[in-house]
Amino acid sequence: MLASKFSSRLTRSVSTLPLRVRVSSNLSQYRHTRKISASAIPTAMSSKARSWSPATLSGVLERIHECNVVEGGTYIPFHIEGQAVGYILPSFAERLCQFPEVFCRGTHEGEEVVLTSQELRTTEARTTAVGKVLQRMREEGIIQGWRDELYPVMTSFGDEPALLVERAAASRFGVTAYGVHVNGYVEMPDGSQEMWIARRSRSKPTWPGLLDHMVAGGQPHGLSPAENVLKECQEEAGVPLALASQAAPTGVVSYKYSDEEGLRRDVLFCYDLKLPEDFVPVPQDGEVEEFMRLPIAEVADTICNSKAFKPNCNLVIIDFLVRHGYITPEHPKYLQVLEGLRPPL
């Protein structure tokens, strides 16, 4: 959808315009296409930045809403040692309780809950026992997209985890999951900004072919967010350590939505990484088809007018647009945007 739109616009013969770099996952192939002229962008940036501004914030609010749709239905709280750590669909709770040595039903303050067995008194014991159950469900096809990556289950970020659970099962338990997203951007000589955007590999099991951040990843157990940023920068885009270490934390966005697997409750740590104009990311791990450096106006218009980006990337980039002064208090519904980026989970 977006590719056809871009290709029709970018194949114009505009000999006086500078080149935009597109980096293919085929490392021997570098393609260059002409940058779009200001007249081709509905709301063009001026020569000194920060002039992109939508007529309304309706497109921005639509993207936020899409990440926060919880369908009606009942979720059973999932408790460990008296603390609610997640929310489970009744059908999944029923399957879990078919393993009574690991899971059972109970009540907490008069409310039905799913509990881990009282015999499982340590994080290690729970992780081992729950892992065996999930492996069984993987074999049955209930848990799909297995990642061999453990997510910590905790009541608050930074607490000692009560359980480590396979990433692919996090939404089944409705636990809060965490991740890091990096806005890799360039300050141009005229003061405008451009952002490096990745296109996800079409072979990925989730969101194939959609646009994504230059660097992003889930937050696994055993790494700090800053350490995870360094790891993901190298693994996904070949960003040198000295450059990646300049990524600056800027806050978080959060969202909650339901699907056929359960309840997704995610918090993303946001980082800005200002890149040299001559830096070119290189696909490393097969998860990225290509990188593109696009004017912020084009990135913003794409978010407002399409679903070309992986949904949670929209939130992080919208947050970037707010922090860098593209979306301001002068816009009607400005506060709705801010509230929508960090709803309670």
Side-chain angles (χ1 to χ4, degrees), residues 23-30 281-285 288-289 291:
V23 184
S24 169
S25 58
N26 179 351
L27 301 187
S28 65
Q29 180 183 11
Y30 289 82
V282 179
Q284 300 288 311
D285 56 8
V288 172
E289 182 175 301
F291 287 108

Side-chain angles (χ1 to χ4, degrees), residues 5-22:
K5 175 184 174 184
F6 283 171
S7 61
S8 63
R9 291 163 61 189
L10 298 177
T11 51
R12 300 175 185 174
S13 176
V14 188
S15 59
T16 60
L17 296 177
L19 296 179
R20 178 201 296 166
V21 179
R22 298 171 66 98

Side-chain angles (χ1 to χ4, degrees), residues 269-284:
F269 297 102
C270 306
Y271 288 77
D272 282 359
L273 177 56
K274 184 178 177 180
L275 297 165
E277 190 176 355
D278 61 355
F279 172 78
V280 178
V282 179
Q284 300 288 311

